[in-house]
Amino acid sequence: AQKVTQAQTEISVVEKEDVTLDCVYETRDTTYYLFWYKQPPSGELVFLIRRNSFDEQNEISGRYSWNFQKSTSSFNFTITASQVVDSAVYFCALRCIEEYGNKLVFGAGTILRVKS
Amino acid sequence: DTGVSQDPRHKITKRGQNVTFRCDPISEHNRLYWYRQTLGQGPEFLTYFQNEAQLEKSRLLSDRFSAERPKGSFSTLEIQRTEQGDSAMYLCASSLSGASGTEAFFGQGTRLTVV
């Protein structure tokens, strides 16, 4: 079965702090894709990053960075020097090809509150 | 606006009534998805179209739910005889076909409240 676990329900930080959002996934497929989405209060899910199962290279985009480790089935997301505008719900998602076609399996999300 | 648009944004209905939601995907996207999101949870897959063909349906999609994409462009999701448990945010997404890692772009959703 495909599953995504985001153990942190809610995280509160003060502006400029670094914060890491954890994501652990389960799949028996060898080919899969991992995603992070941001959901601000407006409700629209905003795509942040995609990573395929053959590419374990970490990625940095501005204040955002992602750490993908197949050995621990984790795909963690770090925001450096957090800002109030980063406050949102963040979802990690998994797409497997062999069994489940094209649908995304989402974790329950982590609410991030950044206080000024 | 060239993103995914959904209509209406909010819908309040009485139990037992039928409701229909519309989704207009990004114009060049041939894949369209419907998801349902309840409070405190991540979106759950409901169904998926490639062009006008409905290729996959979740077991969550009871026979009261039906989705169409008649011309391979916009899609509608109808819920018949609504129940209070249907109250949720209904999200539509679209993507290009090709590489399965292609990201899906989401609309702002339709929030359904069944009273």
Side-chain angles (χ1 to χ4, degrees), chain A residues 33 35 37 39 42-47 50 89 91 95 97 99-109, chain B residues 9 31 33 35 37 40-45 48 56 89 91 95 99-108:
Chain A
Y33 296 84
F35 301 78
Y37 282 85
Q39 188 174 41
S42 61
E44 182 176 349
L45 282 158
V46 177
F47 166 79
R50 172 188 68 243
V89 185
F91 291 98
R95 172 182 286 149
I97 308 310
E99 288 188 46
Y100 288 89
N102 287 279
K103 70 170 179 279
L104 289 163
V105 175
F106 285 86
Chain B
R9 294 290 311 281
R31 288 183 178 165
Y33 311 80
Y35 288 81
Q37 184 179 19
Q41 299 297 317
E44 294 177 296
F45 171 80
Y48 143 65
E56 190 174 349
M89 175 79 87
L91 294 165
S95 74
S100 293
T102 304
E103 63 267 28
F105 293 86
F106 284 79
Q108 290 184 297

Side-chain angles (χ1 to χ4, degrees), chain B residues 19-84:
Chain B
V19 293
T20 300
F21 310 141
R22 177 181 170 119
C23 171
D24 286 89
I26 293 171
S27 58
E28 61 267 28
H29 287 182
N30 56 352
R31 288 183 178 165
L32 186 147
Y33 311 80
W34 285 99
Y35 288 81
R36 180 171 65 189
Q37 184 179 19
T38 54
L39 202 61
Q41 299 297 317
E44 294 177 296
F45 171 80
L46 293 179
T47 190
Y48 143 65
F49 291 85
Q50 177 142 328
N51 301 312
E52 65 274 12
Q54 189 173 19
L55 296 186
E56 190 174 349
K57 291 170 62 173
S58 164
R59 280 169 286 183
L60 292 175
L61 212 63
S62 78
D63 56 6
R64 296 185 298 104
F65 287 70
S66 62
E68 294 183 342
R69 194 182 183 197
K71 297 182 180 178
S73 57
F74 73 91
S75 175
T76 57
L77 178 68
E78 182 183 15
I79 309 174
Q80 296 182 325
R81 305 180 303 281
T82 52
E83 302 172 357
Q84 287 189 320

Side-chain angles (χ1 to χ4, degrees), chain B residues 5-19:
Chain B
S5 64
Q6 293 187 243
D7 183 69
R9 294 290 311 281
H10 303 274
K11 178 71 177 180
I12 300 174
T13 191
K14 291 183 178 179
R15 190 175 51 185
Q17 297 292 306
N18 299 344
V19 293

